[in-house]
Amino acid sequence: MTEKKVLVIGGAGFIGLHVVEQLLEQDWTVRIFDNMVRGDRDRAAELAKSGRVDVIDQDTRNGAAVYSAMKGYDYVIHLAADSINKSVADPYSSIDINMVGSHNVFAAAADLGVKRIVVASSASVYGDPQKLPMHEDDKLDPLTPYCIGKRTGEDLLGYYGRSRGLSWIALRFFNVYGEGQKTTAYYTSVINHFVNRLKNGEAPIIDGEGKQSMDFIHVRDIARAVVLSLTSETGNVPINVGTGIDTTVAELAHILIDAVGVDVEPQFNPRDVLVSRRAADTTRAKDIIGFEATIPVREGMTALVQSS
Ligand SMILES: NC(=O)c1ccc[n+]([C@@H]2O[C@H](COP(=O)([O-])OP(=O)(O)OC[C@H]3O[C@@H](n4cnc5c(N)ncnc54)[C@H](O)[C@@H]3O)[C@@H](O)[C@H]2O)c1
């Protein structure tokens, strides 16, 4: 049997650390490769004390560093990315990290004959969805350099799959939330905003009627999907990772009011807002990696509020 060791690129980040914890629980040994720009160096160092984690402080834009860190690893998880927030302000960095850096990872994996690479894509490859739930075969319409980078990543994986037999899975994460998330996280910053107001006894303020929705998925569910993808029999497809449930901003406000336990009602700020909605079609995740989300939004949000 192949040794259970895996290289996790971007493994010191929000999702990465949850992935590493689950890998350790399942007896994998782990190499974290992270430039620590957004990574938690202290937590990574703590994990390294287990003797089953080593940490390489390097950058995916350094192709030689990627290649040498990957040597001897049959399994790779690639989570490193320049964040969606930065992509419009600094498209150069976004393209550099999310396209050139990711290509270094994919090319090294193909050259080294990696058995499976699991890559973080994003639901943002769909752009504004035409219908719900969003299915993997729906038209893609990535709107910003970050989203274009994610789509290009999937296309490059397709190329290395066809030309070099690389076995890959790209996971289109929906709106990830949970313990350890940075307060600036793009789609889910609304959670923080509401919780901060509620903790001061203030009502959450909602733009428009609060009908815009997201498919909030807990980071521990996301991490489970990543680990399942390492060993699934079939691959070479993008897979949605969401709950399939769209939670409106108004519903979110009520969930968080209950979680914080304050006696307020949300306030509505009447203005025209673009009502975007999101919910994943989860059939493919069930069929290919045997994954279904198990943490209901109310439970996950309540735990998050209680831990903060
Ligand atoms: N959090 C979400 O809601 C969400 C949704 C969809 C997709 N994703 C994707 O999931 C992945 C992980 O997201 P996250 O929320 O954990 O982000 P994060 O920023 O917390 O983690 C990314 C990690 O990658 C590292 N990194 C960044 N650039 C690097 C580089 N050039 N070389 C080496 N390391 C580098 C950072 O230091 C960080 O530790 C990303 O690819 C992201 O695009 C996240």
Side-chain angles (χ1 to χ4, degrees), residues 133 235 304 308:
L304 177 64
S308 63

Side-chain angles (χ1 to χ4, degrees), residues 182-200:
K182 281 142 203 105
T183 50
T184 50
Y186 184 72
Y187 288 109
T188 40
S189 60
V190 63
I191 302 173
N192 240 318
H193 181 64
F194 285 178
V195 170
N196 286 341
R197 287 188 62 84
L198 288 166
K199 286 194 167 167
N200 288 326

Side-chain angles (χ1 to χ4, degrees), residues 102-125:
S102 290
H103 176 259
N104 287 337
V105 174
F106 307 154
D111 286 347
L112 291 165
V114 159
K115 290 205 168 89
R116 169 63 54 83
I117 179 167
V118 180
V119 176
S121 184
S122 163
S124 67
V125 294

Side-chain angles (χ1 to χ4, degrees), residues 27-61:
D27 299 325
W28 289 83
T29 52
V30 179
R31 166 167 289 176
I32 293 175
F33 179 107
D34 198 301
N35 68 2
M36 299 295 169
V37 166
R38 282 165 64 84
D40 184 341
R41 195 186 289 281
D42 294 343
R43 182 70 191 124
E46 214 173 286
L47 288 167
K49 284 189 195 146
S50 69
R52 288 170 47 222
V53 176
D54 73 332
V55 182
I56 294 187
D57 186 341
Q58 258 296 353
D59 196 296
T60 53
R61 287 166 290 184

